[in-house]
Amino acid sequence: MRIFALIVFAAISTIGMAQDYSFITYSNGQGLPQSQVQCITQDNDGYLWVGTLGGLAKFNGKNFTTFPLEQGLFNNRISCLQNIQKTIWVGHEGGITEITNNKAQTYSLGDNDKTVSVSDFISYRGKIVASTEGSGLYIISNHHISKITLKNEDASTCRDLEIINGKLYIGTRDGLYFTDDLTNFKRVEAFKDRSISGIALTQNKVFISTFFKGLFRTDFTLKQFDSIPVKSNDLYIGAINSDKSNQLWLVSPEGVIRFSPQMKQLDLNEVNGLPVNAINCSFQDNEGNMWFGSDGKGLIRFANQNLQIYSTKTGMPSDLILCGKKLNSGSYLFGSYDKGAFKMNLQGSCEKIPLPATTVWDIEYFNGNAWFATELGIFRWDFKSEPQQYNFPNYSSPFRVIKIYKNKLIVADEERIGYIENNVLHPYSDFKFNVNKNGNIRDVSFYYSNMLVATSKGLYELNLAKKTQKLLKNFKASISSIETDTDNRIWIGTENGLVIFDGINYKNVSYSSKSGARFINFIQRVESHIFVGTNDGLYVFENREGSQILVKHIGTNNGLINLESNINSSLFEEGNFWFGTTDGLAKLHVGSNDEGFSDFSPKLNIARVLVNYREIDPSNIYNGLKLNYSKNNLIIDLDGISMEDPESVTFQYKLEGESDKWSPPTLNPTIILSNLDAGDYVLHIRAISGTKKISEISSLAITITPPFWRTWWFYILVFVAIAFGIRYYFRLQIKRERERNYKINLENKSRLLALEQQSLNASMNRHFIFNSLNSIQYFINTQDRVSANRYLTSFAKLIRKNLDSASEGDNVVTLHQELERLELYLSLEAMRFKDRFVYRIDNQGIDLEQVTVPAMLLQPFVENSIIHGILPDETKKGEILVTIKALGDQLEICIDDDGIGIDYSLNKKAKFQGDHKSQGMEITSKRIDLIRQMWNKDYELIGPFQMTNPDRSIKGTRVLIKIPYENLEMND
């Protein structure tokens, strides 16, 4: 059966009451080299340095790492430690070690001082001053050591150094000395007969401890001294320190004495929890933890100054406290799980309350009476007579809840709710709960004017005015406790986590990965803070504007005797929060300024770095790591320094260049990176405390050099090679294309030459020559000398022009020359076929000398018009019109005739031509095609095509030649 308990004391009889404080010891099991701790300091990375009579160790909160003699330590007998300007100064018997960045340099005190121990270090006027037990002072400057001998043997036994008002004060066996030049020393006469053990400074006071002469206080003028009474059987004070809160800590063979700023004394010894009385030194770390060096028990941490434990070991009658209440008189009432109820007076004595019940679940103080909810019912006690018992009629079950509400006491057993008014118990008969259906009642709270009831199966809202009962939500896990915060949100503690209801939505609150943290036993509001007791200790949240922030976790590292808290076991009074555990009652002093909630971000350090499984100095990686692509295995071991709660520290990292998201938090302090792609990365690392406080982020630049085939110079070589390859390919293709084009052009030129020859032959065919000569003969025979001469002259000119064109290398003539030839041809044909046709050449503003065309381009089409269009129609006199005009960027030459048309001509062609075969048009068409291919000239031949009149009668034939309107001179 699970035991639930609260926050209270109990007593079987009238006995004295004491309290325990929690201390945690660290010794050989965690790696401490020896159990006699002489001195403690802390470096800038957060590590504690612990000096023992058997070696020097560095502590990360979990384990010790020994600084070995092989690294240069003077010897293993450590007498004092100080961190001065990032350097750890180590005092030994007979020497000094200076440690900077884990590198050591040693100084010997000389052969005559081999057995003299160094007692303290301080930086004064740019020099390191070391005090010794019997050999005065040593000065270290520029890595050189020198000795200062004081005036007598007692003065040479120096134990403590402090700087006050610019002067160096030395506490010695011969009293208090001071100097301002490290040459001249004077004694404070008021302490000439006192053997000083230590000097401590607070905000405005100086405290001086002595061996057997007590404790003294003065101001910073050191002119007048007050004696501070110390309640101790032995006034031997071995050393004195002050902390950040201006508390004084005195250590002795009989334990530790703490003085508050108000000079209230607290003795810490084996009676109230200190593991051993023999304490050599005290030290406060950066988080405010107090550490003690013991003589035989190793290193001791004062787990929590604000936490006290009450149990059967300290005089409590029971360890299983379930409830408590503070009375107006200052006394306490407590209820237990197994010993009933008790009253504790101001002197700490407990007396049994005469209740017949063994288990007391809840207590209230109301109208001068104490009310107890027990397994036997409700009991009222007036502190005089026997307690009076209450139960619902005809029903008896354990009562677990009793709370004050509107001048009434609300009470509840497992199935019923009622109220007590005028000392009479009244049931709320309108509200019904059935254990099987609704679950048994666990807690009650008040929400506006309604009542909230938590059961093992769900959360219910009761409207007392309207007498209505409403189920708000069923829960799979039993509800143990409910509470409302300053924003009227409902905090619901279940056996499987914390839920917050804001009136609309239910939100699960995540605050720990530990399973015990999800089992909630109580929830209590204290102003803006919410205290949540779990099976993993106490969690404290702060409610801020509708959100909750975890500010503190109290566990065994914080002094809690047991992590498992007890159901509904919480009480807050006058700055103290009490709660029960299964091993006793805990009292946490919260105070008015929440000093009990101080928490610190962890300090992140890189402890070890392995590159390709070889260890390197961690400090080297901050300048960046450069790794080969084939050897880029990186292992980084981390330290998350949190002296108060090192077990809760988790780690995260993200590798910029690969991902922009943080890895999930993990307790594993090792980061392993391998097989990274080539490139530049930045590794970001952080540590997170149990209360989600984040350390400073460490960032490490990592470069993975690529293989040679992924380097820029290789890319350039490949690019150049590809470029040359492409260039060679295209040059080869261009060469081949040129050769091919040359061949084609050569072939085309040959063909064009042949066509031009054929064109010449066509123009000067035997029929034309024969017919022309016949015409000349005819004119001669008819004695028409004028016509004969004119015809012969034109014929001769035409032949000469044709021969001249054929002799041109490119066979290109101006349009003027071409039209001259054409006109000669037309005139000859007009004379030969007298009165059969007329012709006209119409130039529409074209500069004929600026346009060049292939020779003998037009004559075949004109010849075709004469022979096949005009001559077959003997009924009329035909007409041939040659029109030259510019349209846009083209020159158009249009040859029109009004002959018989194409269709009729094809039918009559054979009959008219006889044995004459006309090839001029076909040859010209081929010439135009070749010219278009060879010189990329946009020549176009349209026709011949037949033209018709509007009445569809034949109008004639047209040929259209389109030439780019430019200088048509052709080049190879």
Side-chain angles (χ1 to χ4, degrees):
M1 173 181 178
R2 186 173 194 80
I3 298 177
F4 299 102
L6 189 145
I7 172 182
V8 195
F9 309 150
I12 299 175
S13 60
T14 302
I15 57 175
M17 190 69 158
Q19 59 198 23
D20 265 347
Y21 291 91
S22 293
F23 299 88
I24 299 174
T25 60
Y26 305 87
S27 192
N28 305 82
Q30 290 79 34
L32 188 66
Q34 206 262 354
S35 62
Q36 292 173 291
V37 175
Q38 303 297 306
C39 46
I40 310 164
T41 192
Q42 189 172 26
D43 65 19
N44 296 80
D45 291 327
Y47 293 100
L48 286 185
W49 290 74
V50 182
T52 75
L53 293 181
L56 176 65
K58 189 166 69 170
F59 185 51
N60 64 2
K62 295 181 182 179
N63 301 297
F64 294 91
T65 303
T66 301
F67 194 94
L69 291 173
E70 291 77 11
Q71 283 187 238
L73 195 66
F74 187 84
N75 62 45
N76 276 330
R77 296 186 67 82
I78 314 299
S79 57
C80 72
L81 290 167
Q82 286 291 352
N83 176 21
I84 301 175
Q85 298 174 354
K86 297 185 178 180
T87 295
I88 302 298
W89 291 90
V90 186
H92 307 266
E93 279 188 5
I96 296 170
T97 302
E98 175 188 359
I99 301 175
T100 305
N101 296 327
N102 283 327
K103 297 179 180 178
Q105 179 177 349
T106 59
Y107 305 88
S108 174
L109 301 185
D111 293 338
N112 295 329
D113 293 333
K114 286 183 178 180
T115 60
V116 173
S117 295
V118 178
S119 58
D120 198 8
F121 294 97
I122 200 166
S123 176
Y124 186 67
R125 297 190 180 280
K127 301 175 181 179
I128 299 298
V129 180
S131 60
T132 67
E133 288 268 3
S135 192
L137 304 178
Y138 281 84
I139 308 298
I140 299 175
S141 178
N142 297 323
H143 302 290
H144 176 74
I145 187 169
S146 59
K147 182 178 179 180
I148 298 177
T149 302
L150 299 184
K151 67 179 184 178
N152 58 54
E153 183 180 350
D154 286 342
S156 294
T157 301
C158 305
R159 297 181 177 121
D160 203 2
L161 302 172
E162 285 291 349
I163 298 173
I164 305 173
N165 292 332
K167 297 177 181 179
L168 176 62
Y169 282 80
I170 307 105
T172 77
R173 191 167 62 187
D174 190 39
L176 186 63
Y177 284 77
F178 68 92
T179 180
D180 59 4
D181 57 7
L182 295 177
T183 301
N184 300 303
F185 295 84
K186 296 180 181 180
R187 186 170 64 175
V188 179
E189 291 300 319
F191 281 89
K192 64 181 180 180
D193 297 327
R194 294 176 174 86
S195 180
I196 294 175
S197 61
I199 308 170
L201 307 181
T202 62
Q203 190 172 8
N204 53 12
K205 297 294 180 181
V206 179
F207 292 87
I208 299 173
S209 62
T210 66
F211 291 120
F212 302 110
K213 296 293 184 178
L215 177 65
F216 298 88
R217 175 178 60 191
T218 181
D219 58 20
F220 281 81
T221 64
L222 282 84
K223 292 182 179 180
Q224 294 182 342
F225 295 86
D226 297 328
S227 178
I228 303 298
V230 180
K231 300 174 184 178
S232 175
N233 296 327
D234 189 348
L235 289 179
Y236 181 94
I237 303 172
I240 183 173
N241 275 324
S242 60
D243 65 15
K244 299 173 184 177
S245 302
N246 295 313
Q247 297 182 119
L248 295 178
W249 298 85
L250 287 64
V251 299
S252 75
E254 300 302 320
V256 178
I257 298 174
R258 185 190 73 183
F259 278 100
S260 71
Q262 296 77 31
M263 292 295 107
K264 293 182 179 181
Q265 180 177 332
L266 172 67
D267 294 332
L268 300 172
N269 48 50
E270 293 178 10
V271 174
N272 55 10
L274 191 64
V276 65
N277 283 340
I279 302 298
N280 297 321
C281 63
S282 64
F283 178 79
Q284 187 180 42
D285 67 21
N286 295 334
E287 298 175 13
N289 298 295
M290 286 304 303
W291 299 82
F292 305 123
S294 74
D295 197 1
K297 287 290 186 179
L299 182 65
I300 301 172
R301 179 166 68 88
F302 194 172
N304 195 328
Q305 297 184 50
N306 298 313
L307 186 67
Q308 299 158 31
I309 304 297
Y310 300 84
S311 66
T312 53
K313 295 179 182 179
T314 65
M316 287 288 290
S318 173
D319 285 333
L320 303 175
I321 305 302
L322 295 178
C323 53
K325 191 70 178 179
K326 188 174 184 179
L327 304 176
N328 294 336
S329 64
S331 300
Y332 289 88
L333 299 177
F334 300 103
S336 71
Y337 180 79
D338 58 347
K339 300 295 183 180
F342 307 88
K343 178 183 178 184
M344 185 179 73
N345 60 25
L346 295 175
Q347 290 73 39
S349 299
C350 295
E351 61 175 301
K352 171 77 173 172
I353 296 174
L355 288 180
T358 299
T359 303
V360 179
W361 293 102
D362 205 355
I363 300 175
E364 275 292 352
Y365 181 70
F366 182 68
N367 290 339
N369 295 303
W371 297 82
F372 304 88
T374 76
E375 87 277 16
L376 299 179
I378 299 293
F379 287 87
R380 177 176 64 86
W381 185 45
D382 60 5
F383 300 92
K384 299 175 183 178
S385 57
E386 291 293 320
Q388 182 178 349
Q389 185 176 4
Y390 296 80
N391 271 304
F392 290 124
N394 302 320
Y395 188 83
S396 177
S397 69
F399 280 76
R400 291 197 177 187
V401 179
I402 180 168
K403 292 188 177 183
I404 299 174
Y405 178 67
K406 292 184 178 180
N407 205 32
K408 296 179 182 179
L409 279 178
I410 302 298
V411 297
D413 64 10
E414 291 188 340
E415 294 188 348
R416 297 186 182 185
I417 297 176
Y419 64 94
I420 295 175
E421 190 173 35
N422 298 323
N423 295 334
V424 178
L425 175 60
H426 304 275
Y428 283 114
S429 57
D430 297 300
F431 305 122
K432 304 292 185 182
F433 289 89
N434 181 275
V435 172
N436 294 326
K437 180 181 178 181
N438 310 109
N440 59 305
I441 297 173
R442 296 289 187 86
D443 198 10
V444 171
S445 185
F446 305 100
Y447 185 65
Y448 296 104
S449 60
N450 295 333
M451 183 188 304
L452 297 176
V453 178
T455 76
S456 58
K457 292 187 177 181
L459 180 65
Y460 292 83
E461 183 179 41
L462 308 184
N463 189 312
L464 300 180
K466 296 181 180 180
K467 300 179 181 180
T468 58
Q469 177 176 323
K470 177 183 178 183
L471 173 65
L472 294 180
K473 183 176 177 60
N474 280 319
F475 286 85
K476 294 181 179 180
S478 296
I479 301 176
S480 58
S481 183
I482 54 175
E483 182 65 283
T484 56
D485 62 19
T486 53
D487 294 318
N488 282 315
R489 298 185 304 167
I490 304 170
W491 291 58
I492 306 165
T494 76
E495 294 180 0
N496 192 34
L498 179 63
V499 180
I500 295 179
F501 177 52
D502 61 6
I504 301 175
N505 299 311
Y506 292 86
K507 177 184 176 182
N508 293 309
V509 180
S510 175
Y511 51 90
S512 175
S513 60
K514 297 179 181 179
S515 59
R518 295 196 296 269
F519 199 106
I520 297 173
N521 296 309
F522 67 78
I523 304 175
Q524 179 157 341
R525 186 184 86 188
V526 178
E527 296 180 350
S528 63
H529 289 91
I530 302 293
F531 292 75
V532 179
T534 74
N535 283 355
D536 185 47
L538 178 68
Y539 288 83
V540 183
F541 297 85
E542 185 176 2
N543 189 49
R544 297 180 188 173
E545 299 178 354
S547 63
Q548 58 286 335
I549 299 173
L550 179 63
V551 295
K552 192 70 175 178
H553 172 230
I554 307 294
T556 53
N557 277 314
N558 309 92
L560 201 60
I561 192 171
N562 191 299
L563 288 175
E564 184 177 348
S565 61
N566 299 331
I567 191 166
N568 291 335
S569 62
S570 59
L571 168 67
F572 180 78
E573 50 80 24
E574 297 179 358
N576 295 313
F577 185 80
W578 304 71
F579 60 100
T581 75
T582 55
D583 280 333
L585 181 68
K587 175 186 176 183
L588 178 66
H589 179 67
V590 177
S592 58
N593 296 320
D594 299 337
E595 63 265 24
F597 300 150
S598 60
D599 207 0
F600 296 84
S601 301
K603 183 81 172 179
L604 177 64
N605 294 308
I606 295 177
R608 189 178 69 146
V609 178
L610 296 177
V611 176
N612 299 320
Y613 308 105
R614 296 181 62 184
E615 187 170 357
I616 66 171
D617 188 342
S619 61
N620 293 338
I621 69 173
Y622 288 102
N623 296 324
L625 282 176
K626 191 172 184 179
L627 306 178
N628 187 277
Y629 79 98
S630 62
K631 296 180 180 180
N632 62 7
N633 295 302
L634 182 62
I635 300 174
I636 301 175
D637 290 332
L638 307 173
D639 270 340
I641 308 296
S642 174
M643 294 299 173
E644 185 177 79
D645 193 8
E647 302 295 336
S648 70
V649 176
T650 57
F651 302 91
Q652 282 185 299
Y653 75 91
K654 67 177 178 180
L655 190 60
E656 185 180 329
E658 184 178 78
S659 174
D660 58 354
K661 294 182 179 180
W662 288 97
S663 64
T666 177
L667 291 169
N668 185 4
T670 301
I671 297 174
I672 300 175
L673 301 175
S674 60
N675 299 322
L676 294 176
D677 290 335
D680 294 322
Y681 303 90
V682 179
L683 178 64
H684 302 283
I685 313 170
R686 67 186 184 185
I688 306 172
S689 70
T691 55
K692 309 305 180 184
K693 289 183 171 57
I694 300 175
S695 70
E696 292 185 1
I697 296 175
S698 292
S699 298
L700 311 174
I702 302 172
T703 299
I704 308 298
T705 59
F708 73 89
W709 60 84
R710 293 181 62 183
T711 56
W712 62 269
W713 55 265
F714 184 79
Y715 290 149
I716 291 176
L717 288 178
V718 171
F719 176 78
V720 170
I722 292 174
F724 273 106
I726 293 174
R727 182 173 181 270
Y728 174 78
Y729 172 78
F730 280 108
R731 286 175 63 88
L732 184 62
Q733 291 298 107
I734 290 170
K735 182 180 178 182
R736 290 176 178 174
E737 186 67 21
R738 283 177 177 174
E739 291 176 351
R740 189 175 69 86
N741 290 338
Y742 178 77
K743 183 178 180 181
I744 292 173
N745 285 338
L746 196 60
E747 293 175 353
N748 287 339
K749 280 186 177 182
S750 299
R751 291 174 58 196
L752 184 61
L753 203 61
L755 289 173
E756 287 170 351
Q757 186 62 43
Q758 292 178 19
S759 177
L760 177 62
N761 293 337
S763 300
M764 300 296 296
N765 61 71
R766 64 183 186 275
H767 295 285
F768 174 71
I769 295 173
F770 179 78
N771 291 332
S772 296
L773 292 176
N774 280 338
S775 296
I776 294 171
Q777 185 182 25
Y778 170 75
F779 289 130
I780 293 174
N781 292 333
T782 57
Q783 301 297 315
D784 188 354
R785 294 180 180 178
V786 174
S787 295
N789 286 331
R790 188 176 60 177
Y791 194 98
L792 183 60
T793 300
S794 297
F795 180 67
K797 285 181 180 180
L798 179 60
I799 291 175
R800 187 182 66 189
K801 285 185 178 293
N802 286 342
L803 294 175
D804 288 342
S805 298
S807 65
E808 293 291 337
D810 52 7
N811 197 29
V812 174
V813 297
T814 65
L815 185 57
H816 175 74
Q817 293 173 321
E818 178 69 10
L819 292 179
E820 276 188 341
R821 179 186 301 109
L822 182 65
E823 188 168 7
L824 286 172
Y825 173 74
L826 287 171
S827 64
L828 289 174
E829 292 293 87
M831 291 177 64
R832 188 161 71 94
F833 300 108
K834 190 175 183 178
D835 296 329
R836 292 300 307 273
F837 70 91
V838 295
Y839 65 88
R840 182 164 58 92
I841 298 176
D842 183 11
N843 177 17
Q844 297 185 2
I846 303 300
D847 187 354
L848 302 179
E849 292 291 344
Q850 297 300 320
V851 180
T852 57
V853 295
M856 296 173 285
L857 176 67
L858 304 179
Q859 180 181 331
F861 301 105
V862 173
E863 179 183 359
N864 192 66
S865 295
I866 295 171
I867 296 174
H868 301 293
I870 301 298
L871 294 181
D873 187 1
E874 297 179 356
T875 61
K876 67 176 182 178
K877 187 176 184 178
E879 182 181 8
I880 295 175
L881 175 62
V882 179
T883 306
I884 304 162
K885 60 182 178 179
L887 289 178
D889 59 350
Q890 286 187 321
L891 183 70
E892 282 192 359
I893 301 176
C894 183
I895 302 174
D896 293 334
D897 68 70
D898 60 351
I900 63 175
I902 293 175
D903 296 336
Y904 187 76
S905 174
L906 290 174
N907 293 329
K908 297 293 184 178
K909 182 177 179 182
K911 178 181 179 181
F912 181 80
Q913 281 186 259
D915 62 348
H916 173 68
K917 186 177 182 181
S918 177
Q919 296 179 334
M921 286 183 59
E922 181 180 354
I923 293 171
T924 302
S925 296
K926 292 180 179 179
R927 286 181 65 199
I928 289 175
D929 288 340
L930 281 175
I931 290 171
R932 187 185 298 115
Q933 294 177 23
M934 291 174 61
W935 292 287
N936 197 26
K937 299 293 185 179
D938 192 16
Y939 277 60
E940 188 176 1
L941 174 63
I942 304 174
F945 56 88
Q946 187 169 274
M947 296 184 296
T948 58
N949 293 309
D951 59 356
R952 294 187 179 182
S953 61
I954 297 173
K955 185 178 179 180
T957 303
R958 172 174 290 180
V959 175
L960 184 62
I961 302 172
K962 292 184 178 182
I963 302 172
Y965 190 36
E966 58 182 353
N967 192 311
L968 298 179
E969 184 176 353
M970 300 175 190
N971 299 310
D972 291 343

